[in-house]
Amino acid sequence: GSTDFFFQSVFAATAVTIASGALAERTKFTAYLVFSVLMCSLVYPTVVHWTWGGGLISRINIGDAVYSDFAGSGIVHLTGGVAAFVGAALVGARIGKYDKDGNARTIPGHNIALSVLGVFILWFGWFGFNGGSELVADDLVPMIALNTLLAAAAGGVGSTIVTWSRTGIPDVGMAGNGILGGLVG
């Protein structure tokens, strides 16, 4: 019904925004709008049908195992990630990403405070995504919320430990990336 439509609309928009992050500042706005319409009207619905809609992938059984993607980590994030990869391959590297010898350069973030705010907004929204994926307010929702919290925290702590041990200093931006990685996982 309308709840499922709204839920899938938000997931489709999420898949689109994953690709927008990979292409930010390197594409024209009109091209992004065309991509968004095609992604939301053709690509995402096809993938959802193949998986959650009883289509091709949902019918593949390996022994007793059947395809399951509780909160969309495969459907939403893999679809958005593949679109981001294809888009980035077509558009090319950011200007200034490589020096004249082909060595990669770090491009620091422009506003770490806004980046951290964005991470916390996404983290908060993930409680709705994961808890809402249950599609009912039952006794599993608190455990789903706790798992969401612990996954994000583990991603943030893990990425901080790795970055700190490799560079000698903690990196707030990498901690945010770790939190988002934990949420996706």
Side-chain angles (χ1 to χ4, degrees), residues 45-56 58-59 75:
T46 301
V47 173
V48 167
H49 175 72
W50 284 349
T51 50
W52 285 333
L56 178 72
S58 67
R59 289 188 237 140
I75 294 168

Side-chain angles (χ1 to χ4, degrees), residues 36-136:
S36 297
V37 168
L38 292 174
M39 182 76 153
C40 290
S41 64
L42 297 174
V43 175
Y44 184 80
T46 301
V47 173
V48 167
H49 175 72
W50 284 349
T51 50
W52 285 333
L56 178 72
I57 295 172
S58 67
R59 289 188 237 140
I60 297 173
N61 295 341
I62 300 172
D64 292 335
V66 295
Y67 179 81
S68 176
D69 186 347
F70 177 69
S73 60
I75 294 168
V76 177
H77 295 93
L78 184 60
T79 304
V82 169
F85 175 78
V86 170
L90 291 172
V91 173
R94 295 185 194 285
I95 295 171
K97 177 64 182 168
Y98 298 98
D99 66 17
K100 61 181 170 75
D101 297 323
N103 299 313
R105 288 190 257 181
T106 301
I107 301 175
H110 302 298
N111 191 323
I112 198 67
L114 286 179
S115 295
V116 170
L117 177 62
V119 168
F120 281 114
I121 290 169
L122 286 168
W123 193 344
F124 180 74
W126 234 279
F127 289 110
F129 274 148
N130 287 353
S133 293
E134 183 65 9
L135 299 178
V136 292

